[in-house]
Amino acid sequence: MRDKLLMIIDGSNLAHRSYQKFENLKSKKGEKTGLIYGFMRLLQSYIIRFRPTYVIVTFDTQQSKESNFRKDLLGGYKIHRSNISMDYESFNKQSRSVRRILKLLNIPVIWDSKGLGHESDDYIGYYALNHKGKVLIISSDKDFCQLIDSRVKVFNPFKECIINKGNCLEVMGYEPNECVDYLCLIGDKSDDIPGYRGIGPVKARQFLTQFGSIENYLSNPDNTFKGIDYDGLEDLY
């Protein structure tokens, strides 16, 4: 089992990338097919390129979005996405077709059908942590870097590289164990998650180099860092 490679596809991430890249592709009947075409084409390329033993695909669903416990923690979570101009009817129709195709190919599809609030990310984290062998996550989502260790790696399609323990700092600007604190400091505009005001990638890197983590900084009220208020960071953390 330890030599078996599990490739986990962030299906929602891949679906959006495919939809945008091949948005104008249509069938002879005029129906949009770009998401389906792009998704299956890229999936095939990943299987050929990385030759995994196992493949699973995870998706976000409307049920998970409507019952998302993250919004209870942060009311503005992903709020800007509701204003994005997009043909969601076509997107959802093509996504359903992709899931049917994957089922016919005997590729397991994981998604929240009960409205428990679980996103694609949650399932990816679960399977990555519980698989005893090697894991390769296919996603451009930077959050997954926190999972990287001797078994788990991330292939980022935008950067066109595999991110591992050895190159994470060079590629992403932080070590895997710094990922959560780094993103906590700078925030994440794509998910409408605010960071610490005035702290960008450069200052966040300086902070982590000096203190190692937010917890280390907060362990001593006498610690200081230019641009950061102790009580303000404690409230954010």
Side-chain angles (χ1 to χ4, degrees):
M1 282 293 294
R2 297 188 183 279
D3 295 326
K4 306 295 186 181
L5 174 62
L6 169 64
M7 186 169 72
I8 309 176
I9 305 289
D10 184 352
S12 295
N13 184 278
L14 180 54
H16 279 281
R17 287 192 289 119
S18 300
Y19 181 84
Q20 293 169 9
K21 186 173 182 178
F22 300 101
E23 185 176 4
N24 296 324
L25 193 62
K26 298 180 181 179
S27 69
K28 291 182 179 179
K29 295 182 179 180
E31 296 181 340
K32 291 185 177 182
T33 57
L35 188 157
I36 300 170
Y37 171 79
F39 193 104
M40 302 313 299
R41 177 180 175 180
L42 288 170
L43 175 61
Q44 181 187 42
S45 72
Y46 296 145
I47 292 174
I48 293 173
R49 180 175 182 177
F50 300 117
R51 298 190 177 281
T53 311
Y54 312 108
V55 178
I56 61 175
V57 182
T58 67
F59 284 96
D60 291 328
T61 64
Q62 191 61 40
Q63 290 94 324
S64 66
K65 293 177 182 178
E66 290 175 349
S67 306
N68 204 316
F69 58 86
R70 291 169 176 82
K71 291 185 178 179
D72 294 332
L73 298 173
L74 182 64
Y77 178 66
K78 292 186 178 181
I79 193 170
H80 83 279
R81 300 192 184 188
S82 60
N83 298 321
I84 296 177
S85 179
M86 181 174 169
D87 185 351
Y88 282 102
E89 182 178 354
S90 173
F91 179 88
N92 292 331
K93 182 178 180 180
Q94 291 184 71
S95 294
R96 289 193 293 270
S97 295
V98 165
R99 290 198 290 269
R100 286 196 294 269
I101 294 171
L102 292 173
K103 184 176 181 180
L104 292 172
L105 292 172
N106 288 322
I107 295 178
V109 178
I110 313 297
W111 56 289
D112 177 10
S113 62
K114 297 182 179 180
L116 300 175
H118 297 157
E119 293 187 352
S120 174
D121 295 15
D122 300 314
Y123 296 114
I124 291 173
Y126 175 83
Y127 286 102
L129 292 173
N130 285 279
H131 180 62
K132 296 183 182 302
K134 298 176 182 178
V135 176
L136 180 63
I137 299 169
I138 308 292
S139 178
S140 60
D141 192 332
K142 51 188 174 291
D143 296 348
F144 294 125
C145 289
Q146 66 185 284
L147 300 172
I148 292 174
D149 58 19
S150 58
R151 292 185 309 105
V152 182
K153 300 177 182 178
V154 176
F155 176 74
N156 187 309
F158 290 159
K159 296 182 181 296
E160 189 55 32
C161 73
I162 292 178
I163 306 172
N164 55 42
K165 288 182 66 176
N167 68 2
C168 189
L169 177 60
E170 178 183 357
V171 176
M172 302 301 296
Y174 49 82
E175 300 283 3
N177 65 309
E178 297 175 329
C179 177
V180 174
D181 283 4
Y182 182 89
L183 295 177
C184 184
L185 288 169
I186 70 170
D188 189 346
K189 291 183 179 180
S190 65
D191 289 339
D192 295 292
I193 298 176
Y196 192 97
R197 187 173 182 179
I199 299 298
V202 174
K203 282 192 175 181
R205 180 65 264 159
Q206 293 172 346
F207 177 90
L208 292 173
T209 298
Q210 182 175 346
F211 295 102
S213 69
I214 295 176
E215 185 175 357
N216 287 342
Y217 175 84
L218 295 176
S219 66
N220 184 351
D222 294 329
N223 282 331
T224 60
F225 185 83
K226 186 177 180 180
I228 287 183
D229 173 71
Y230 182 93
D231 292 333
L233 184 57
E234 188 173 39
D235 290 340
L236 177 68
Y237 194 62

